[in-house]
Amino acid sequence: VKQAEMFAAIREAYGIPRDPDLKLRDFPTLRHVIRFVYDRSPGLRPPDGGGTPAGGGGAPGGGAAADREGNGGTTPSAAPSASPAALRDVADADRVPRRVPVPALRPMLARSKPTGVALASGRRVVVALDRGGIGKALVERLEKLGVAVLVLAADAEAAALADQVAAWRAGGSIHGVYWLAALDVEPALSDLDLAGWRAGLGGRVKRLAALMRLLYEDIAPSGTFLVAAVRLDGRHGYGSGAVAAPMGGAVTGFAKAYARERPEALVKAVDVGAGGKAAELAQALVDEALRDPGAVEIGRHARERWTVALVERPAADGRGGLALGRESVFVVTGAAGSIVAAITADLAAAAGGVFHLLDRVPAPAPDDPDVVRFARDREGLKRDVFERLKARGERATPALVERELAGIERRHAAASAIAAIEASGGSAHYHCVDLLDGAAVAAVVEDVRSRHGRIDVLLHAAGLEVSRTLPDKPPEEFDRVFDVKSDGWFNLLRAIGDLPLAATVAFGSIAGRFGNRGQTDYSAANDLLCKSTASFRVTRPTTRGLVIDWTAWRDIGMAARGSIPQMMALAGIDMLPPDAGIPTIRRELVAGGCDGEVVVAGSLGVLAAERDPSGGLDPAAVDVAAAGPMVGRVVAHGVADGLRVETELDPRRQPFLDDHRIDGIAVLPGVMGIEAFAEVAALAAPGWQVDAVEDVEFLAPFKFYRDEPRTLTIAAQLVAAEDAELVAECRLSGSRTLAGQSAPTVTVHFTGRVRLRRSRPPLGAARVPGADGSAAIGPETVYRVYFHGPAYRVLGAVARAGDGVIGRFAGGRPANHAPPSAPTRMAPRLVELCFQTAGMREIAASGRLALPRRVGRLRVASAAPEDGATAFVTTAPLAGDGAVDVVVVGADGAPLVRLEGYATVALPAEVAPEDRHAVGAVLAP
């Protein structure tokens, strides 16, 4: 398909006439295609040599910038600029994938592997109780299994907890921890003061950190576990319901980071949602410890198990975004960070607006010589700082020098932000404030209230990060990192109260989404912001909340220095280019997608790697006997890809391959790709029914060269949708090792999605008109044009009918597949009847033979007999790309198939004139 599209574009660009004898297989590489252009374009001469033009490639100016801080990787000016910043193209943000977390279906525990955890006599487990009775029910179950249990009271202080655990450890190693403190009901945010907020989080996550610091060596080897239970919405806050206890987000963030530090142990954060009987929830926690080692985040909702996966989605959501302009009011925390200053400048360049900038750094003096010099001569300034420290009698260590420079850098960033705002016609109000000081934050918000009466955008970017594994991270350091984000967030929301607030944007991190070694505090704080923002669905329904999970930035910010870029490269994680990162927040605000959590990152490397080779699935436990002809061997059910199936197909065995050949090469029919998607999606979701297959893209033909068997891979990631639906994001791929290559090339051939429901609604009524007259095209003409063999010669007759064309199914066809008894879900040959009938209409209209390119939506009746079926396609295209709708009815007139938005791509060769005339004489309007 892509070859055909490319050749059509090339012929048009170079004025090359169509060649009816052209064979695409003769042009397997780009080198062949380039030679084709030169051969068919006499006036075009190939270049004498290769390489790139002089001056091409490399860094701008012939080398890397000497100073990569504060200005997106370009050499900064000597002082903060007084001219307006150039407005970046918001489309630059789309250069980096935009992913959003969604609830993804996990296999039932009966299909899952054992975790290696044993809950039996000789096992010693800590249970930290909740106040609602689930812990007590859990203790009873564990003791019945013979487990020795240490019970920690819900109100135990960290010091008493430490003494109790230390005394119990003297009797032997501890094998597991159940942490249930985050199951308790939380007061509404409006009912809390700062002391209550801190107490709630202290009891949930800081006590957990203290416990796991003590048990760091115990909960480490295989067979040990940490299971932390939370009450969000049963799907970790990514469903559509209310988030019951958002403080639990801090616990899930901690658990994900602990799992990175202790990869051999089983670590799970189990969201049990609201409600449920204590005994049932206690049993679920026992079961989760015993089975499924493949995912950390587990949710229990509506009879299913869930985890959190990422899918790519555009920012625009159809609701419309914020209109940013001169009157827009922004409140920005952490405003003296170099990244934040660059984003602030971008917002100012686009909108002007009023900016209230909050940071602990004192307001920068415009004539501060260090600020002026920082941008021009950082290394020289560094030497001067070294000499100043010595002159003051201090020990000028590299750490002290860098700390002093960091303060100068923040003053420079603050001055740059102020200058950019004012140069763009906006107004800047700088507030030196500690976000941990609730009264000081309230005073700033009151100033905003009195001046403007509203906040359009609250940008919470303040944060602190100190990477250290849990035993090396003292409690005061954990508190300092955690509190800047969490207490600052609370103080802001508490002070804002009922002040109109259009949107919030919180700076998160991929460390919060995935967890990261050495960042238990940072991960906990970031995931808390995510779950608190998710609670806005109920607590602040008029505020659109967004959390940006950034990857590390390249060329700007602290992560761009030292060994971090090398560490990121080794981990396979892309750093974020500033020209894509800086306009990202503006894109989210104006495009209408500012609602929820967004991951802004390229390759995620090790963070996206599965914890278990099969994703936690026991493939042998999945019964595929009745799955269908496109399901072979179940391989895995991972967090990232969902259910993965490998199926070997042999053209010498399967009629749908042997009778579907292009230029003699067997090619997988598009209808069997659609069938594969439906079969695998249904296999992944027992109890659900396939309602529709949608948005299918036929990207590249899947060919069987020399009639040799090939293995195709079908992956289906099932995610929650609205109205009690599941949507399976599907792809069909294959791999081949080409001549001269050591590694196989993997190609995605088809993509699409399958929509599943508990019960399928009917297809509705349909009317197919009868043929206009006696003239019809028979199969002898049809299959002189088409390449299909007996099993796929589905058109018995084609005729004009009303304002369209009808095609009648040819009875007596050989079996579609082997074994013939294998059930299908999407009536593949009736869909092929749609394709071929639409194709005959296209030949009559344009003389071109085409291949399937896209299917918008396909629905099939639960019973769809082939004999007596008739397809009807209108003559008028329904979209600019020529897409049409087709309906198939049975002998009794009942609808069997509804195909919407079917579009094609033309093959290069035209249909023979005599065949085109024969078809056009009957079918042309």
Side-chain angles (χ1 to χ4, degrees):
V1 172
K2 289 297 178 187
Q3 274 185 297
E5 290 178 337
M6 182 176 65
F7 263 87
I10 288 171
R11 285 193 299 100
E12 180 179 358
Y14 290 97
I16 300 172
R18 182 189 294 271
D19 182 355
D21 297 324
L22 183 78
K23 301 293 185 185
L24 293 179
R25 65 186 178 188
D26 294 335
F27 301 90
T29 70
L30 283 175
R31 187 177 299 277
H32 289 83
V33 177
I34 292 168
R35 174 52 55 192
F36 164 82
V37 174
Y38 287 126
D39 289 346
R40 305 299 177 96
S41 306
L44 194 63
R45 292 177 56 83
D48 294 330
T52 58
D67 190 320
R68 294 179 176 268
E69 290 302 314
N71 201 24
T74 60
T75 304
S77 58
S81 174
S83 60
L87 182 61
R88 296 175 182 270
D89 187 346
V90 75
D92 285 345
D94 296 332
R95 292 170 46 202
V96 174
R98 182 186 188 274
R99 304 178 180 98
V100 297
V102 294
L105 196 67
R106 284 298 290 165
M108 60 184 75
L109 286 176
R111 288 182 171 184
S112 300
K113 284 180 178 178
T115 61
V117 169
L119 294 176
S121 179
R123 301 286 95 178
R124 309 177 79 238
V125 172
V126 173
V127 177
L129 296 179
D130 63 319
R131 291 182 170 86
I134 297 173
K136 291 180 179 179
L138 176 61
V139 171
E140 291 177 4
R141 272 168 167 65
L142 293 174
E143 289 179 340
K144 285 181 181 179
L145 295 171
V147 177
V149 181
L150 171 63
V151 178
L152 301 179
D155 55 357
E157 296 291 337
L161 177 149
D163 292 342
Q164 193 175 356
V165 171
W168 205 54
R169 281 187 71 201
S173 296
I174 294 174
H175 303 101
V177 173
Y178 280 106
W179 185 262
L180 310 183
L183 293 175
D184 292 335
V185 176
E186 295 177 15
L189 195 70
S190 58
D191 295 334
L192 285 171
D193 57 13
L194 182 57
W197 169 261
R198 287 176 171 168
L201 288 167
R204 286 164 175 80
V205 72
K206 293 184 180 180
R207 284 198 313 145
L208 173 60
L211 174 63
M212 300 315 296
R213 191 179 290 110
L214 291 170
L215 299 180
Y216 197 75
E217 297 304 324
D218 295 72
I219 311 303
S222 178
T224 62
F225 71 91
L226 165 63
V227 173
V230 297
R231 280 192 192 276
L232 299 169
D233 64 350
R235 294 187 286 198
H236 283 273
Y238 300 105
S240 57
V243 175
M247 285 186 187
V251 173
T252 63
F254 177 92
K256 287 183 284 187
Y258 191 86
R260 297 283 175 186
E261 295 193 15
R262 288 311 201 208
E264 298 301 317
L266 174 78
V267 180
K268 285 187 177 180
V270 182
D271 178 9
V272 301
K277 295 180 180 179
E280 294 174 354
L281 297 178
Q283 185 60 50
L285 295 176
V286 170
D287 295 341
E288 290 294 346
L290 297 175
R291 286 192 171 271
D292 188 5
V296 175
E297 294 167 291
I298 296 292
R300 295 279 186 134
H301 176 79
R303 296 179 284 173
E304 269 95 22
R305 301 175 68 244
W306 302 85
T307 190
V308 182
L310 298 179
V311 298
E312 289 195 30
R313 298 252 172 94
D317 62 3
R319 292 179 292 173
L322 298 181
L324 302 180
R326 296 290 179 189
E327 302 302 316
S328 297
V329 180
F330 299 84
V331 173
V332 182
T333 72
S338 55
I339 292 171
V340 185
I343 290 171
T344 300
D346 177 76
L347 292 170
V354 181
F355 287 80
H356 288 265
L357 307 178
L358 283 64
D359 203 287
R360 290 185 64 185
V361 173
D367 56 350
D368 184 335
D370 285 348
V371 168
V372 173
R373 189 176 177 191
F374 176 85
R376 185 184 66 244
D377 183 21
R378 187 180 189 277
E379 290 305 311
L381 179 61
K382 184 175 181 178
R383 289 190 295 270
D384 282 359
V385 168
F386 179 82
E387 295 299 330
R388 289 178 203 170
L389 290 172
K390 287 201 305 181
R392 293 202 301 257
E394 299 182 38
R395 187 165 173 245
T397 64
L400 284 177
V401 171
E402 285 299 330
R403 186 181 305 170
E404 195 89 1
L405 274 177
I408 297 170
E409 179 179 7
R410 293 189 69 82
R411 297 202 302 274
H412 175 269
S416 298
I418 293 170
I421 293 166
E422 294 175 346
S424 298
S427 59
H429 305 271
Y430 193 89
H431 306 268
C432 179
V433 61
D434 184 346
L435 291 181
L436 303 184
D437 185 340
V441 172
V444 172
V445 173
E446 184 56 35
D447 180 44
V448 175
R449 184 191 301 268
S450 63
R451 290 173 183 263
H452 317 292
R454 72 182 193 284
I455 298 173
D456 294 303
V457 179
L458 168 63
L459 179 58
H460 183 42
L464 174 67
E465 193 280 315
V466 183
S467 289
R468 227 190 301 264
T469 55
L470 190 58
D472 300 324
K473 187 179 286 291
E476 57 272 16
E477 180 180 288
F478 187 102
D479 293 351
R480 188 167 69 253
V481 172
F482 183 83
D483 292 350
V484 169
K485 280 184 174 287
S486 65
D487 288 3
W489 180 246
F490 172 82
N491 285 333
L492 287 162
L493 294 181
R494 172 77 174 175
I496 290 169
D498 60 359
L499 181 67
L501 175 61
T504 64
V505 183
F507 269 37
S509 168
I510 54 174
R513 171 84 303 276
F514 298 101
N516 197 26
R517 178 179 173 85
Q519 295 184 325
T520 48
D521 42 14
Y522 193 64
S523 178
N526 280 300
D527 216 18
L528 171 65
L529 296 187
C530 293
K531 304 314 185 274
S532 177
T533 298
S535 73
F536 285 3
R537 290 195 292 267
V538 172
T539 61
R540 299 192 74 100
T542 61
T543 299
R544 302 187 71 176
L546 176 73
V547 180
I548 303 288
D549 291 336
W550 305 105
T551 188
W553 285 57
R554 190 185 72 201
D555 300 336
I556 180 174
M558 298 302 293
R561 297 189 190 133
S563 63
I564 293 178
Q566 289 76 23
M567 293 170 60
M568 298 285 284
L570 288 172
I573 303 171
D574 288 342
M575 298 186 76
L576 182 64
D579 54 355
I582 289 170
T584 291
I585 287 179
R586 178 158 53 93
R587 176 193 66 185
E588 296 298 325
L589 293 171
V590 302
C594 55
D595 194 0
E597 188 176 345
V598 178
V599 176
V600 178
S603 171
L604 293 166
V606 296
L607 295 178
E610 299 290 345
R611 294 181 61 82
D612 179 82
S614 69
L617 181 75
D618 178 4
V622 185
D623 184 7
V624 299
M630 296 302 292
V631 172
R633 181 174 70 97
V634 173
V635 177
H637 193 135
V639 173
D641 292 335
L643 182 64
R644 192 166 79 249
V645 171
E646 292 180 352
T647 303
E648 184 181 82
L649 297 178
D650 187 346
R652 295 165 294 189
R653 283 193 67 246
Q654 285 295 358
F656 63 77
L657 294 177
D658 193 30
D659 289 345
H660 192 267
R661 295 177 180 270
I662 301 176
D663 293 333
I665 299 174
V667 179
L668 180 69
V671 296
M672 293 308 292
I674 292 173
E675 174 66 25
F677 289 164
E679 290 180 11
V680 174
L683 184 65
W688 294 77
Q689 298 184 41
V690 174
D691 178 48
V693 181
E694 302 172 343
D695 300 324
V696 180
E697 298 285 346
F698 302 104
L699 304 174
F702 194 105
K703 298 180 179 181
F704 293 78
Y705 299 95
R706 297 177 296 278
D707 273 359
E708 294 176 350
R710 283 189 70 188
T711 297
L712 53 84
T713 300
I714 310 111
Q717 176 65 282
L718 281 86
V719 303
E722 296 180 2
D723 301 325
E725 294 181 351
L726 288 177
V727 171
E729 303 284 348
C730 302
R731 70 177 185 275
L732 185 152
S733 60
S735 65
R736 292 179 64 215
T737 302
L738 303 176
Q741 294 184 356
S742 58
T745 297
V746 177
T747 302
V748 176
H749 293 269
F750 305 159
T751 61
R753 57 177 57 94
V754 179
R755 192 169 295 275
L756 302 101
R757 295 176 180 265
R758 294 289 188 188
S759 60
R760 302 173 59 184
L763 265 62
R767 186 187 69 83
V768 173
D772 289 350
S774 58
I777 299 170
E780 64 284 348
T781 300
V782 172
Y783 296 104
R784 198 165 57 239
V785 176
Y786 284 154
F787 46 77
H788 305 78
Y792 269 58
R793 293 187 173 182
V794 297
L795 266 175
V798 191
R800 289 265 319 149
D803 62 349
V805 173
I806 58 171
R808 302 194 187 281
F809 192 85
R813 294 301 88 201
N816 174 72
H817 52 270
S821 59
T824 58
R825 294 179 177 272
M826 299 307 293
R829 290 203 295 197
L830 290 185
V831 180
E832 182 67 25
L833 177 68
C834 296
F835 288 4
Q836 293 187 23
T837 302
M840 294 302 292
R841 181 207 69 88
E842 192 165 4
I843 291 170
S846 67
R848 66 179 194 159
L849 182 64
L851 296 176
R853 178 170 60 85
R854 177 175 61 81
V855 167
R857 192 165 190 258
L858 172 66
R859 297 188 67 219
V860 175
S862 54
E866 294 176 339
D867 290 343
T870 300
F872 174 68
V873 54
T874 59
T875 56
L878 300 179
D881 60 358
V884 297
D885 288 358
V886 190
V887 63
V888 178
V889 298
D892 59 356
L896 304 178
V897 175
R898 286 191 180 278
L899 176 65
E900 302 171 7
Y902 173 61
T904 62
V905 61
L907 288 169
E910 291 187 354
V911 175
E914 61 273 18
D915 291 329
R916 178 180 180 181
H917 176 75
V919 173
V922 175
L923 302 183

